[in-house]
Amino acid sequence: MTTEQEKPEIADESGDKYKYGFVTDIASDTAPKGLSEDIIRLISQKKGEPDWLLERRLEAFRFWQKLKEPTWAKLSYDKIDYQDLYYYSAPKQKVAPKSLDEVDPELLKTYEKLGIPLKEQEVLSGVVAVDAVFDSVSVATTYRAKLAEKGVIFCPISEAIKEYPELVKKYLGSVVPYTDNFFACLNSAVFTDGSFVYIPKGVRCPMELSTYFRINAQNTGQFERTLIIADEGSYVSYLEGCTAPQRDENQLHAAIVEIVVLKDAEVKYSTVQNWYPGDKDGKGGVYNFVTKRAACRGANSKVSWTQVETGSAITWKYPSCILQGDNSVGEFYSVAITNNRQQADTGTKMIHLGCNTSSKIISKGISAGRSNQTYRGLVKVSPNADNARNYSQCDSLLIGPDCGSHTIPYVENRNKTAKLEHEATTSKISEEQLFYCQQRGIGEEEAVSLIVNGFCKEVMQHLPLEFAIEAAKLINISLEGSVG
Amino acid sequence: MKTPLLEIEDLCARVADKEIIKGFNLTINEGEVHAIMGPNGAGKSTLSHVLCGKPGYEITSGTVRYKGKNLLAMAPEERAREGIFLIMQYPVEIPGVPVTTFLKHAVNAIRQHRHEPELDTMEFIKLLREEGKKLGINPDMLKRPINVGFSGGEKKRLEALQLAILKPQFSILDEADSGLDVDAMKVVAEAINAERTEHNAMLVITHYQRLLKDIVPDYVHIYADGHIVASGNKDLALEVEEQGYAQFLKEK
């Protein structure tokens, strides 16, 4: 049965500070190990999907079999055995929960421990609606009724496939086609759940929407799929948080986020990524291979990505903007922190297709311990994109002598009217700065965290307030033990 | 009668392989203000750095006791929490860290050490504004990142503000170089004078006598070649002003 055996104290014993490392012992419904057409049929059947989607999955799978895992990133890790993973794991529940009262209390407890209250009355005065994804399925989505009044759809994507097939059919895979890359292709074949958002014409979403992803089951790949559609003149701010238990094995996470922004609409997408990073010797941790992309399809549309990345053993992630509509705007604000043996290869792509499109990239990388970090970015201006503008700033901060930081900004400009600026700096926390803090009574670790938070400030101020506080704490935790 | 606050005995220190401080002796009692004067390059700043525990210096021999405790065994932040405050000549910039945030961390670290309750944001802001007003500090300056783009005068005012808020028992004013901004110094001098009590003590390190018109010391020491070569009262500073350092350097 569902008895809970959580071991939060593991974190203390091993000297690690990852407080989300506990495991929820909950009965789950798991498909057999390995990947084949049969497994994909099984997933599709479990989810009661329409045939068109199964066909798309199989098409993606067949294509994936011909692809090779990319090796261009500055990452080194043991080869992933894709046949040694589970592709479907869901908490066992007799019937799908109709309301929160029917959700397994163990699951509610798990989210509570993660600091994510799912009972609506506990959510701060109704400013955030939450979709909680546990392993392969969405377990609860709050405030749906309230959102529905405004015509906003916020639900698990598996449900959207059944309830809003026209929207899903039209937009799913339209920003990230299965042919895009190895990991996106894999996701297209085996994705299990994720969030779906539709903001109707002219609607300003009355609250922040947020999804909390949680990997729980062992040896299970997590492949979520998020699809956000902002119809003409609409606005939404969307938050994404991620945690996983502390395990010795690596866990594979390959998600896709697609955002469609129509004329005059705006989407603000914020992420605090705190997947388990592995221990100090690099054992365990999540392999995070994520494809995130937004298409600014209409004129005057805007998308802004803000991310704080502290987790994962391996990060491979380039949230991008396709600026198709005239006057559309893309922004990317990123803080990536790596410590111990973590490796991150992350950045963004700004593809300017429309006229007067503009983009801004602010990337702050902090490396500590023996970690390695690469900023990899692309700014592309197509021949028709008159008067495109880009400003890129990539700053790296090094803590200690054994970490590495690399900046690889690509620029492809095919239009003479473009104005592109790029600035990059690499610095170390200076002894003078540390001494100044200490001379005022501030301890060394606190001083480092003050200096680092100062370094990241330009990015952090783009996060919604509550998230910013959480992110600042996370930064401190990530850097504990990095000095002295 | 007098309670010694700082007792330095036979202190020797070096940077890399270079001896800078060579057999330095000085006792400062509660309530006293001492000035150390010396030619440029005599290693006056090294003395203030060693007392505050700045990394990069090797203590080769000697002892320093502060309130009877072994000062040299304490981490820089412990020394600060015990009431040692260094007013720096060139305070460093910390981008992105507002003055308010920085000072709140400092105040509460020190209060915690003294087993006093931490100040909440409201209390702290009130204190900061009040003390800032006395020093002619614009509240906007408190929101700016610490020392970033500050003028020389603003930097000095900020140091004075920290002195007023952190309430140290032993302050060191390091104006070792000749690059003295007289107007800015007045602000600091006033702040220092405001802290003069029978329990607090100060060490003023300077190249010029001018500063000692604003902060009148009880004792003046001439520092050359790593140790004190002459001591006296405030008149000694005037002698230096008139005759220069040469006579003291010859005497040794």
Side-chain angles (χ1 to χ4, degrees), chain A residues 258-317:
Chain A
E258 289 179 281
I259 303 178
V260 178
V261 196
L262 301 180
K263 192 168 159 257
D264 298 321
E266 179 178 353
V267 175
K268 198 171 149 49
Y269 193 105
S270 313
T271 305
V272 172
Q273 187 264 109
N274 185 24
W275 297 119
Y276 177 54
D279 71 5
K280 63 183 192 323
D281 301 315
K283 195 171 183 195
V286 171
Y287 286 175
N288 193 29
F289 297 97
V290 176
T291 306
K292 288 183 167 179
R293 195 173 302 155
C296 287
R297 298 238 164 108
N300 312 313
S301 55
K302 180 177 176 185
V303 71
S304 119
W305 298 100
T306 305
Q307 56 171 29
V308 175
E309 306 270 320
T310 63
S312 298
I314 302 274
T315 301
W316 182 96
K317 179 179 168 185

Side-chain angles (χ1 to χ4, degrees), chain B residues 114-132:
Chain B
R114 292 177 186 160
H115 304 291
E116 290 168 4
E118 288 190 13
L119 294 181
D120 65 35
T121 305
M122 295 306 287
E123 291 171 315
F124 174 71
I125 296 285
K126 196 166 164 256
L127 173 73
L128 201 57
R129 291 236 170 106
E130 275 168 17
E131 294 296 336

Side-chain angles (χ1 to χ4, degrees), chain A residues 426-445:
Chain A
T426 301
S427 55
K428 284 189 165 195
I429 289 186
S430 80
E431 211 166 66
E432 295 287 336
Q433 287 174 331
L434 270 182
F435 176 66
Y436 191 77
C437 295
Q438 288 176 286
Q439 213 303 301
R440 303 309 190 231
I442 300 168
E444 196 174 12
E445 290 216 337

Side-chain angles (χ1 to χ4, degrees), chain A residues 135-196:
Chain A
D135 287 339
S136 306
V137 296
S138 170
V139 292
T141 311
T142 64
Y143 283 112
R144 288 171 63 171
K146 194 175 171 192
L147 291 167
E149 286 169 21
K150 292 259 184 183
V152 172
I153 305 169
F154 180 38
C155 69
I157 201 161
S158 54
E159 216 177 293
I161 290 162
K162 290 175 210 158
E163 310 264 327
Y164 313 100
E166 291 314 309
L167 279 174
V168 176
K169 222 172 167 174
K170 183 171 176 190
Y171 291 111
L172 189 76
S174 75
V175 186
V176 182
Y178 70 82
T179 50
D180 193 81
N181 70 70
F182 181 84
F183 297 106
C185 188
L186 178 64
N187 176 290
S188 303
V190 302
F191 75 89
T192 42
D193 220 333
S195 303
F196 175 81

